[in-house]
Amino acid sequence: MSNAQRLLCLSPAEPPALSVEAAAVPRPGKGEVVVRVEAASVNPIDVKRAGGYGQRLLKLKGAGKFPLVLGNDIVGIVETVGQGVTTRRPGERVFGLVPTGKVGAHASHVAVDARWLRPVGEGQDAAALAALPYTFTTLWQALRKVGLDAGNARGREVLIHGASGGLGRLAIQLLVRWGATVTAICSTANVETCKDLGATSVWDRQRTSLSGLPQRYDAVLNFGAWQDEERLIGALKQGALGSATTVHPLLPNIDKLGWLRGAWQTRRDMRRASGLAAAKGARYGWVVFKPEEEALDALHRLLSEGALALPVGISVPLSEARQAFAHVARRQPGRAILLP
Ligand SMILES: NC(=O)c1ccc[n+]([C@@H]2O[C@H](COP(=O)([O-])OP(=O)(O)OC[C@H]3O[C@@H](n4cnc5c(N)ncnc54)[C@H](OP(=O)(O)O)[C@@H]3O)[C@@H](O)[C@H]2O)c1
């Protein structure tokens, strides 16, 4: 008999076609752990995928075919461990990542590779913690693409677009901690938030055009909008480190133009942007999230130092998941968390 639940996303639709269904508790495969989920987040990508975004390319890894179980972040209790798992034990509280695939984190029980889990520290709140792994890992990958790390960030000038969002807030917190000087780009309503997080200066994108940005940055992170990519790369100084974006057109190009024309357009987009960065002597990259042990280790360490947090805007049970998806779709403040 089934005594577990999962949130199915039935077909591509806006608002999403969600349904909570009974399911069997999964069995852990070799190297896997079954986690009883306490909290899982709804990220912007989940809302996009629920509407059909990225279907063509994501189908290649089983992640585009509906019905889908979405979600990449989990916090919960280890129920069972599979063959070969020595790092985790039943009853342990863990947080971590579920790779993008057919079966995501929006469920009461999830089987996940033990490599993608880390222990939860004393007193850490499940909902607050569930907001972090996917977004932090993506940030970590973006920082690697631009060539910034704890050892070389001090004194660097970093420009962050989308600075008031999940990725942007974590980027400000981490880079300020590493000694970088951050300029945050955000909308008027979020200027004070970015300053409070530690940005040295804030560019209000609703009041001042990005074409006026000075060409003085060592690194640029675009978490805001692809249409601004060229102007952002233009703000790199000569001999800059690099520029990276999470809002590239890889998935939308293939969705809209099909495989052949989409791939051709993607190559064009990438070459144009990387050429502009290369003219500044800078490296350039598009980030595609994937689970990573190094990022999880870094997050685990930073959490133990109390160094990172994202505000939670809404926490609801699976049966009220529509509210969480609507919260993200309407860009309401704070992360959206499901409590299965
Ligand atoms: N490629 C990947 O693997 C990957 C992984 C994770 C996330 N992402 C994507 O990266 C982006 C950022 O993620 P997130 O979790 O930080 O999202 P988020 O929390 O929604 O934040 C995005 C921020 O961008 C700003 N923004 C929104 N629309 C904009 C526009 N048209 N022009 C300029 N700025 C705009 C908003 O701040 P202001 O209004 O204050 O400017 C918003 O706070 C999302 O699009 C997400 O889907 C991609």
Side-chain angles (χ1 to χ4, degrees), residues 43-45 48 134-135 138 161-168 185-187 190 205 223-225 227-228 245-248 287-289 331 335:
N43 287 304
I45 188 64
K48 291 180 193 171
Y134 172 81
T135 302
T138 306
H161 193 25
S164 69
L167 277 161
I185 303 173
C186 64
S187 52
N190 293 320
R205 69 179 175 92
F223 307 140
Q227 79 238 25
D228 297 324
T245 180
T246 60
V247 288
H248 51 75
V287 181
V288 177
F289 160 82
R331 301 207 167 128
R335 305 310 267 186

Side-chain angles (χ1 to χ4, degrees), residues 138-208:
T138 306
L139 167 64
W140 196 259
Q141 287 160 0
L143 291 172
R144 184 181 309 123
K145 292 236 183 249
V146 300
L148 269 174
D149 57 43
N152 71 0
R154 186 157 297 281
R156 302 277 189 181
E157 292 244 18
V158 184
L159 179 66
I160 305 173
H161 193 25
S164 69
L167 277 161
R169 283 172 185 246
L170 291 183
I172 299 174
Q173 292 169 65
L174 188 59
L175 287 165
V176 167
R177 189 177 173 83
W178 285 352
T181 301
V182 170
T183 297
I185 303 173
C186 64
S187 52
T188 312
N190 293 320
V191 167
E192 288 311 315
T193 300
C194 290
K195 280 187 191 159
D196 290 347
L197 286 167
T200 304
S201 48
V202 180
W203 194 276
D204 180 341
R205 69 179 175 92
Q206 291 173 316
R207 296 218 165 119
T208 321

